[in-house]
C-alpha cells in the first residue's frame, strides 16, 4: 500500500465574522466581547477530516462534527454562546461513522459479537483504523470520537488533554463539549520522540518510517498539533485550526477565538517557514479551497511580509 491522502467533509458551519480573525494584540476579554456583540456571519466553511493510507495502516486526522450537533440539548443550555456564535449544517450521512463505513471501514462493536482481527488494515475484508490523531478537542474536531472509540487508539498531546480535561469549564467556553466524549474516556498521549523538523523543535512520529508525523502548533488551543504527511504524490501539511485559511496563514493572522493570539501567530510563522524549506500542499481544516487544493496538489508558496 502506498502513502496517500483522502479529504473528507463532515458538514459545514458559519460563525461570527470576528471569530475568524481579530487583531492579535487586542486584549482577550475584548476579543471575547467582540464575538458576543458581533452580528455578522462568515460564509459557511467546511469541516474536514483527513484519512491517510499508509503501509502500517489507516490513520485519521480529526473526527469532525457530529450530525447530532443540531439536536436540542447537544450543547449545554446554560452555555448559549455556542448557538449565538455559530450555525452548523450537517446531515446524518455526513458524520464520521457513515463516511468511514461507506469506505469499507469496520468500526466494530455496535454489532456486538463481530471482532474479526484478521482483516488487518488493508487486506481483504474490512478496513480498520490504526490510529486517530486529534489536533484539539473542539466539538468540530472531536464530534466523531464515539464512532472510533474504542476500536482505534486516539491520540492527543498530554498538554492539550491536561488543559481540556483539567479545566472543563474553560474547555467548554473555548468550544469543546466534554459531555459528548466517550464515557470515562482517556486518550493516548502523543510522544515527542521525533527529531526537530524545520522550525519545529520536536516531532511526534506516528509511523515508524517518519512519513506521518505530528508537530506542535499551539495558540488556537494549548497543545494543538498539526500533521505532516510525506505521501507518495505530495507532502501535505494538515494545519488543523492552527490557521483557518491559506489567506490567513499568508497574512500571519491569529484566529479570533483563541486565548493566546501571539502564540498562534508564532505557530503560523513556523508553518510558513516549514513551507519555505519543503514544498508542500497546505490543507487547513476549514478552508473552502482545501478539497480542490488536495485534488490539484497545489503547492503553497509563502509570501514574506
Ligand atoms: Zn475547528
Amino acid at each position: 500500500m502506498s502513502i496517500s491522502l483522502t479529504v473528507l467533509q463532515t458538514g459545514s458551519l458559519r460563525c461570527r465574522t470576528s471569530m475568524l480573525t481579530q487583531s492579535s494584540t487586542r486584549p482577550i476579554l475584548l476579543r471575547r466581547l467582540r464575538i458576543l456583540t458581533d452580528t455578522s456571519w462568515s460564509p459557511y466553511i467546511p469541516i474536514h477530516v483527513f484519512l491517510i493510507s499508509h503501509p502500517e495502516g489507516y490513520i485519521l486526522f480529526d473526527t469532525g462534527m457530529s450530525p447530532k450537533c443540531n439536536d436540542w440539548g447537544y450543547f449545554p443550555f446554560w452555555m448559549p454562546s455556542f448557538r449565538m456564535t455559530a450555525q452548523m449544517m450537517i446531515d446524518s450521512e455526513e458524520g464520521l461513522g457513515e463516511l468511514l463505513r461507506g469506505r469499507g471501514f469496520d468500526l466494530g462493536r455496535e454489532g456486538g459479537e463481530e471482532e474479526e482481527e484478521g482483516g488487518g488494515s488493508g487486506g481483504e475484508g474490512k478496513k480498520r483504523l490504526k490510529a486517530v490523531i486529534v489536533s484539539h478537542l473542539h466539538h468540530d474536531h472531536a464530534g466523531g470520537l464515539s464512532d472510533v472509540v474504542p476500536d482505534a487508539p486516539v491520540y492527543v498531546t498530554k498538554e492539550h488533554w491536561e488543559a481540556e480535561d483539567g479545566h472543563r469549564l474553560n474547555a467548554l467556553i473555548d468550544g469543546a463539549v466534554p459531555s459528548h466524549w466517550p464515557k470515562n474516556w482517556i486518550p493516548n498521549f502523543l510522544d515527542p520522540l521525533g527529531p526537530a523538523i524545520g522550525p519545529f523543535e520536536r516531532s511526534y512520529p506516528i509511523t515508524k518510517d517518519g512519513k506521518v508525523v505530528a508537530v506542535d502548533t499551539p495558540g488556537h488551543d494549548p497543545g494543538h498539533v498539526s500533521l505532516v504527511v510525506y505521501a507518495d504524490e505530495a507532502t501535505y501539511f494538515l494545519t488543523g485550526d492552527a490557521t483557518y485559511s491559506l489567506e490567513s496563514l499568508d497574512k500571519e493572522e491569529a484566529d479570533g477565538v483563541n486565548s493566546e493570539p501571539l502564540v498562534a501567530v508564532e505557530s503560523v510563522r513556523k508553518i510558513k517557514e516549514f513551507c519555505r524549506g519543503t514544498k508542500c500542499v497546505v490543507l487547513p481544516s476549514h478552508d473552502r479551497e482545501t478539497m480542490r487544493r488536495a485534488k490539484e496538489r497545489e503547492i503553497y508558496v509563502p509570501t514574506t511580509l
Side-chain angles (χ1 to χ4, degrees):
M1 185 160 57
S2 57
I3 306 174
S4 63
L5 179 94
T6 307
V7 185
L8 306 173
Q9 184 174 348
T10 63
S12 51
L13 61 76
R14 66 175 186 172
C15 59
R16 296 302 182 188
T17 312
S18 52
M19 293 167 79
L20 295 185
T21 188
Q22 291 192 53
S23 158
S24 54
T25 51
R26 185 174 291 161
I28 302 305
L29 212 58
L30 290 185
R31 287 165 68 85
R32 292 268 149 92
L33 208 60
R34 177 81 192 88
I35 291 169
L36 291 174
T37 54
D38 191 355
T39 54
S40 64
W41 290 108
S42 74
Y44 274 94
I45 53 176
I47 297 153
H48 290 304
V49 301
F50 302 87
L51 180 65
I52 297 129
S53 95
H54 183 280
E56 287 178 28
Y58 290 96
I59 297 156
L60 188 71
F61 183 56
D62 281 341
T63 68
M65 187 164 75
S66 168
K68 293 185 183 145
C69 66
N70 284 322
D71 289 0
W72 195 87
Y74 184 86
F75 298 109
F77 70 93
W78 47 270
M79 189 62 85
S81 53
F82 278 103
R83 303 262 180 232
M84 283 164 58
T85 60
Q87 293 182 337
M88 279 65 75
M89 239 178 16
I90 180 166
D91 292 330
S92 56
E93 65 272 18
E94 291 179 290
L96 181 68
E98 288 299 299
L99 290 178
L100 290 179
R101 272 184 217 103
R103 278 168 176 73
F105 278 84
D106 179 11
L107 301 175
R109 309 300 161 107
E110 74 270 74
E113 295 296 293
E114 298 168 53
E115 274 238 38
E116 294 165 29
E117 290 300 328
S121 51
E124 81 288 357
K126 291 281 190 175
K127 300 172 187 167
R128 314 286 305 235
L129 287 171
K130 164 191 156 67
V132 179
I133 316 302
V134 178
S135 62
H136 66 303
L137 288 163
H138 286 177
H139 81 90
D140 54 323
H141 298 256
L145 280 179
S146 54
D147 290 314
V148 295
V149 173
D151 295 299
V154 177
Y155 294 85
V156 302
T157 62
K158 191 161 187 268
E159 191 188 352
H160 184 61
W161 179 247
E162 283 171 356
E164 297 291 290
D165 189 48
H167 306 274
R168 286 195 169 206
L169 182 60
N170 272 350
L172 203 55
I173 291 169
D174 276 351
V177 192
S179 57
H180 292 296
W181 298 344
K183 272 207 172 58
N184 301 321
W185 174 67
I186 296 177
N188 298 279
F189 296 132
L190 289 165
D191 241 335
L193 296 172
I197 298 184
F200 300 100
E201 292 91 15
R202 58 183 194 172
S203 60
Y204 308 84
I206 310 300
T207 56
K208 291 190 189 87
D209 59 6
K211 298 275 179 126
V212 182
V213 58
V215 291
D216 294 305
T217 47
H220 178 70
D221 230 7
H224 179 286
V225 287
S226 299
L227 202 69
V228 184
V229 182
Y230 298 94
D232 292 3
E233 69 272 11
T235 297
Y236 299 102
F237 195 104
L238 313 180
T239 68
D241 280 359
T243 186
Y244 287 155
S245 68
L246 280 205
E247 202 189 341
S248 280
L249 173 65
D250 215 46
K251 291 186 195 156
E252 301 177 12
E253 291 175 341
D255 70 70
V257 293
N258 73 65
S259 307
E260 295 181 301
L262 296 176
V263 178
V265 169
E266 202 177 309
S267 288
V268 293
R269 285 186 180 142
K270 281 187 182 174
I271 296 173
K272 287 180 76 173
E273 185 59 31
F274 178 83
C275 295
R276 286 189 188 99
T278 303
K279 277 195 173 133
C280 59
V281 181
V282 178
L283 304 174
S285 298
H286 299 304
D287 193 317
R288 302 205 297 170
E289 297 293 320
T290 280
M291 201 71 99
R292 178 189 64 75
R293 289 194 185 108
K295 214 171 275 167
E296 296 175 5
R297 292 165 200 161
E298 183 184 290
I299 304 291
Y300 164 63
V301 182
T303 56
T304 305
L305 295 186

Short mmCIF file of all heavy atoms in Angstrom, two decimals, residues 226-264:
data_model
loop_
_atom_site.label_atom_id
_atom_site.label_comp_id
_atom_site.label_asym_id
_atom_site.label_seq_id
_atom_site.Cartn_x
_atom_site.Cartn_y
_atom_site.Cartn_z
N SER A 226 -0.50 19.86 14.43
CA SER A 226 -0.76 19.71 13.00
C SER A 226 -0.09 18.41 12.56
O SER A 226 0.71 17.84 13.30
CB SER A 226 -0.17 20.88 12.21
OG SER A 226 -0.76 22.10 12.63
N LEU A 227 -0.41 17.96 11.34
CA LEU A 227 0.14 16.69 10.87
C LEU A 227 0.85 16.89 9.54
O LEU A 227 0.31 17.54 8.64
CB LEU A 227 -0.99 15.66 10.71
CG LEU A 227 -0.58 14.19 10.74
CD1 LEU A 227 -0.10 13.79 12.14
CD2 LEU A 227 -1.75 13.29 10.34
N VAL A 228 2.07 16.35 9.45
CA VAL A 228 2.78 16.38 8.18
C VAL A 228 2.74 14.97 7.59
O VAL A 228 3.02 14.00 8.29
CB VAL A 228 4.26 16.80 8.37
CG1 VAL A 228 4.96 16.92 7.02
CG2 VAL A 228 4.35 18.12 9.14
N VAL A 229 2.34 14.89 6.33
CA VAL A 229 2.25 13.59 5.67
C VAL A 229 3.12 13.60 4.42
O VAL A 229 2.85 14.36 3.48
CB VAL A 229 0.78 13.28 5.26
CG1 VAL A 229 0.67 11.91 4.61
CG2 VAL A 229 -0.15 13.37 6.47
N TYR A 230 4.17 12.80 4.45
CA TYR A 230 5.04 12.69 3.27
C TYR A 230 4.46 11.57 2.40
O TYR A 230 4.89 10.42 2.48
CB TYR A 230 6.48 12.38 3.69
CG TYR A 230 7.10 13.46 4.56
CD1 TYR A 230 7.06 13.38 5.95
CD2 TYR A 230 7.73 14.56 3.97
CE1 TYR A 230 7.64 14.37 6.74
CE2 TYR A 230 8.30 15.56 4.75
CZ TYR A 230 8.26 15.46 6.14
OH TYR A 230 8.82 16.44 6.93
N ALA A 231 3.45 11.91 1.63
CA ALA A 231 2.77 10.92 0.81
C ALA A 231 3.55 10.71 -0.49
O ALA A 231 4.48 11.45 -0.79
CB ALA A 231 1.35 11.38 0.51
N ASP A 232 3.15 9.68 -1.24
CA ASP A 232 3.85 9.41 -2.50
C ASP A 232 3.65 10.55 -3.49
O ASP A 232 4.57 10.95 -4.20
CB ASP A 232 3.31 8.11 -3.12
CG ASP A 232 3.70 6.91 -2.27
OD1 ASP A 232 4.32 7.12 -1.22
OD2 ASP A 232 3.37 5.78 -2.66
N GLU A 233 2.41 11.07 -3.52
CA GLU A 233 2.10 12.05 -4.56
C GLU A 233 2.51 13.47 -4.18
O GLU A 233 2.71 14.32 -5.03
CB GLU A 233 0.60 11.99 -4.90
CG GLU A 233 -0.36 12.48 -3.82
CD GLU A 233 -0.79 11.41 -2.82
OE1 GLU A 233 -0.18 10.32 -2.82
OE2 GLU A 233 -1.73 11.68 -2.03
N ALA A 234 2.62 13.76 -2.88
CA ALA A 234 2.96 15.13 -2.43
C ALA A 234 3.21 15.10 -0.94
O ALA A 234 2.90 14.12 -0.26
CB ALA A 234 1.79 16.08 -2.72
N THR A 235 3.79 16.19 -0.43
CA THR A 235 3.88 16.36 1.02
C THR A 235 2.72 17.25 1.43
O THR A 235 2.49 18.30 0.83
CB THR A 235 5.22 17.00 1.41
OG1 THR A 235 6.28 16.12 1.03
CG2 THR A 235 5.30 17.25 2.92
N TYR A 236 1.98 16.80 2.44
CA TYR A 236 0.83 17.58 2.91
C TYR A 236 1.11 18.11 4.31
O TYR A 236 1.67 17.41 5.15
CB TYR A 236 -0.42 16.69 2.98
CG TYR A 236 -0.84 16.12 1.66
CD1 TYR A 236 -0.56 14.79 1.34
CD2 TYR A 236 -1.52 16.90 0.74
CE1 TYR A 236 -0.94 14.25 0.12
CE2 TYR A 236 -1.92 16.37 -0.48
CZ TYR A 236 -1.63 15.04 -0.79
OH TYR A 236 -2.02 14.53 -1.99
N PHE A 237 0.67 19.34 4.55
CA PHE A 237 0.71 19.89 5.90
C PHE A 237 -0.74 20.14 6.30
O PHE A 237 -1.42 21.02 5.76
CB PHE A 237 1.51 21.21 5.93
CG PHE A 237 1.88 21.63 7.32
CD1 PHE A 237 3.17 21.47 7.79
CD2 PHE A 237 0.92 22.18 8.18
CE1 PHE A 237 3.51 21.83 9.10
CE2 PHE A 237 1.25 22.54 9.47
CZ PHE A 237 2.55 22.36 9.93
N LEU A 238 -1.22 19.31 7.23
CA LEU A 238 -2.61 19.43 7.68
C LEU A 238 -2.60 20.31 8.93
O LEU A 238 -2.10 19.91 9.98
CB LEU A 238 -3.18 18.04 8.00
CG LEU A 238 -2.91 16.96 6.94
CD1 LEU A 238 -3.52 15.62 7.35
CD2 LEU A 238 -3.45 17.39 5.57
N THR A 239 -3.14 21.52 8.78
CA THR A 239 -2.92 22.51 9.85
C THR A 239 -3.84 22.33 11.05
O THR A 239 -3.59 22.90 12.10
CB THR A 239 -3.15 23.95 9.33
OG1 THR A 239 -4.53 24.12 9.02
CG2 THR A 239 -2.31 24.25 8.11
N GLY A 240 -4.95 21.55 10.90
CA GLY A 240 -5.96 21.61 11.95
C GLY A 240 -6.47 23.04 12.00
O GLY A 240 -6.67 23.66 10.94
N ASP A 241 -6.62 23.61 13.19
CA ASP A 241 -7.08 25.00 13.30
C ASP A 241 -5.93 25.97 13.62
O ASP A 241 -6.17 27.07 14.11
CB ASP A 241 -8.17 25.12 14.38
CG ASP A 241 -9.52 24.67 13.85
OD1 ASP A 241 -9.60 24.29 12.67
OD2 ASP A 241 -10.50 24.70 14.63
N ALA A 242 -4.70 25.56 13.33
CA ALA A 242 -3.59 26.50 13.51
C ALA A 242 -3.80 27.70 12.60
O ALA A 242 -3.36 28.81 12.89
CB ALA A 242 -2.26 25.82 13.19
N THR A 243 -4.50 27.46 11.49
CA THR A 243 -4.97 28.57 10.66
C THR A 243 -6.28 28.12 10.02
O THR A 243 -6.49 26.94 9.80
CB THR A 243 -3.94 28.97 9.58
OG1 THR A 243 -4.42 30.13 8.90
CG2 THR A 243 -3.72 27.87 8.56
N TYR A 244 -7.17 29.07 9.74
CA TYR A 244 -8.45 28.69 9.14
C TYR A 244 -8.38 28.69 7.61
O TYR A 244 -9.21 28.07 6.96
CB TYR A 244 -9.55 29.67 9.56
CG TYR A 244 -10.00 29.54 11.00
CD1 TYR A 244 -10.56 30.63 11.67
CD2 TYR A 244 -9.90 28.33 11.69
CE1 TYR A 244 -11.00 30.52 12.98
CE2 TYR A 244 -10.33 28.21 12.99
CZ TYR A 244 -10.88 29.31 13.65
OH TYR A 244 -11.31 29.20 14.93
N SER A 245 -7.42 29.42 7.05
CA SER A 245 -7.34 29.50 5.59
C SER A 245 -5.92 29.86 5.17
O SER A 245 -5.15 30.41 5.97
CB SER A 245 -8.30 30.58 5.06
OG SER A 245 -7.85 31.86 5.46
N LEU A 246 -5.61 29.57 3.93
CA LEU A 246 -4.28 29.93 3.43
C LEU A 246 -4.08 31.44 3.40
O LEU A 246 -2.98 31.94 3.59
CB LEU A 246 -4.06 29.37 2.02
CG LEU A 246 -3.68 27.90 1.91
CD1 LEU A 246 -2.93 27.63 0.63
CD2 LEU A 246 -2.87 27.44 3.10
N GLU A 247 -5.19 32.14 3.18
CA GLU A 247 -5.12 33.60 3.16
C GLU A 247 -4.68 34.11 4.54
O GLU A 247 -3.78 34.94 4.65
CB GLU A 247 -6.50 34.13 2.82
CG GLU A 247 -6.50 35.51 2.27
CD GLU A 247 -7.92 36.07 2.16
OE1 GLU A 247 -8.89 35.30 2.17
OE2 GLU A 247 -8.02 37.31 2.09
N SER A 248 -5.29 33.57 5.60
CA SER A 248 -4.93 33.97 6.96
C SER A 248 -3.50 33.56 7.28
O SER A 248 -2.76 34.28 7.94
CB SER A 248 -5.85 33.30 7.98
OG SER A 248 -7.05 33.99 8.04
N LEU A 249 -3.15 32.37 6.82
CA LEU A 249 -1.79 31.88 7.06
C LEU A 249 -0.78 32.83 6.43
O LEU A 249 0.19 33.24 7.07
CB LEU A 249 -1.64 30.47 6.45
CG LEU A 249 -0.24 29.87 6.44
CD1 LEU A 249 0.26 29.61 7.85
CD2 LEU A 249 -0.22 28.56 5.65
N ASP A 250 -1.05 33.18 5.20
CA ASP A 250 -0.11 34.03 4.49
C ASP A 250 0.03 35.40 5.14
O ASP A 250 1.11 35.97 5.20
CB ASP A 250 -0.56 34.18 3.02
CG ASP A 250 0.63 34.26 2.11
OD1 ASP A 250 1.56 33.46 2.28
OD2 ASP A 250 0.64 35.16 1.26
N LYS A 251 -1.08 35.90 5.69
CA LYS A 251 -1.04 37.22 6.36
C LYS A 251 -0.59 37.09 7.81
O LYS A 251 -0.55 38.09 8.53
CB LYS A 251 -2.45 37.83 6.35
CG LYS A 251 -2.94 38.25 4.99
CD LYS A 251 -4.28 38.97 5.19
CE LYS A 251 -5.05 39.14 3.92
NZ LYS A 251 -6.49 39.29 4.18
N GLU A 252 -0.33 35.88 8.26
CA GLU A 252 0.11 35.60 9.63
C GLU A 252 -0.89 36.12 10.65
O GLU A 252 -0.55 36.73 11.66
CB GLU A 252 1.52 36.17 9.87
CG GLU A 252 2.53 35.57 8.91
CD GLU A 252 3.95 36.14 9.04
OE1 GLU A 252 4.22 36.85 10.02
OE2 GLU A 252 4.75 35.85 8.14
N GLU A 253 -2.18 35.83 10.37
CA GLU A 253 -3.24 36.25 11.28
C GLU A 253 -3.53 35.17 12.31
O GLU A 253 -3.49 33.98 12.00
CB GLU A 253 -4.54 36.48 10.48
CG GLU A 253 -4.50 37.66 9.57
CD GLU A 253 -5.76 37.77 8.70
OE1 GLU A 253 -6.49 36.77 8.54
OE2 GLU A 253 -6.00 38.86 8.18
N ALA A 254 -3.89 35.62 13.52
CA ALA A 254 -4.39 34.67 14.52
C ALA A 254 -5.91 34.59 14.34
O ALA A 254 -6.54 35.54 13.90
CB ALA A 254 -4.07 35.18 15.91
N ASP A 255 -6.49 33.43 14.70
CA ASP A 255 -7.95 33.36 14.65
C ASP A 255 -8.53 34.25 15.75
O ASP A 255 -7.82 34.72 16.63
CB ASP A 255 -8.43 31.91 14.79
CG ASP A 255 -8.21 31.37 16.18
OD1 ASP A 255 -8.89 31.82 17.11
OD2 ASP A 255 -7.33 30.50 16.34
N GLY A 256 -9.85 34.47 15.68
CA GLY A 256 -10.46 35.42 16.61
C GLY A 256 -10.90 34.83 17.93
O GLY A 256 -11.29 35.57 18.84
N VAL A 257 -10.86 33.50 18.06
CA VAL A 257 -11.44 32.89 19.26
C VAL A 257 -10.42 32.46 20.31
O VAL A 257 -10.79 32.19 21.44
CB VAL A 257 -12.30 31.64 18.92
CG1 VAL A 257 -13.54 32.04 18.15
CG2 VAL A 257 -11.50 30.60 18.15
N ASN A 258 -9.16 32.38 19.92
CA ASN A 258 -8.22 31.76 20.86
C ASN A 258 -7.79 32.70 21.99
O ASN A 258 -8.00 33.91 21.95
CB ASN A 258 -7.01 31.20 20.11
CG ASN A 258 -6.09 32.30 19.64
OD1 ASN A 258 -5.50 33.00 20.43
ND2 ASN A 258 -5.99 32.45 18.32
N SER A 259 -7.19 32.11 23.01
CA SER A 259 -6.77 32.89 24.19
C SER A 259 -5.30 33.26 24.15
O SER A 259 -4.81 33.93 25.05
CB SER A 259 -7.03 32.09 25.46
OG SER A 259 -8.35 31.65 25.49
N GLU A 260 -4.60 32.77 23.15
CA GLU A 260 -3.16 33.05 23.06
C GLU A 260 -2.78 33.46 21.64
O GLU A 260 -2.05 32.76 20.95
CB GLU A 260 -2.37 31.80 23.46
CG GLU A 260 -2.56 31.39 24.90
CD GLU A 260 -1.72 30.16 25.24
OE1 GLU A 260 -1.90 29.12 24.59
OE2 GLU A 260 -0.87 30.27 26.14
N PRO A 261 -3.31 34.62 21.21
CA PRO A 261 -3.10 35.01 19.80
C PRO A 261 -1.62 35.14 19.41
O PRO A 261 -1.27 34.82 18.27
CB PRO A 261 -3.83 36.34 19.68
CG PRO A 261 -4.14 36.78 21.06
CD PRO A 261 -4.17 35.58 21.93
N LEU A 262 -0.79 35.57 20.33
CA LEU A 262 0.61 35.74 19.94
C LEU A 262 1.29 34.40 19.73
O LEU A 262 2.14 34.23 18.85
CB LEU A 262 1.36 36.57 20.99
CG LEU A 262 0.84 38.01 21.12
CD1 LEU A 262 1.54 38.76 22.24
CD2 LEU A 262 0.99 38.77 19.79
N VAL A 263 0.89 33.41 20.54
CA VAL A 263 1.41 32.05 20.36
C VAL A 263 0.91 31.50 19.01
O VAL A 263 1.64 30.84 18.27
CB VAL A 263 0.95 31.12 21.52
CG1 VAL A 263 1.44 29.70 21.31
CG2 VAL A 263 1.43 31.67 22.85
N ALA A 264 -0.35 31.82 18.69
CA ALA A 264 -0.92 31.36 17.42
C ALA A 264 -0.16 31.95 16.24
O ALA A 264 0.11 31.27 15.24
CB ALA A 264 -2.40 31.74 17.34
#
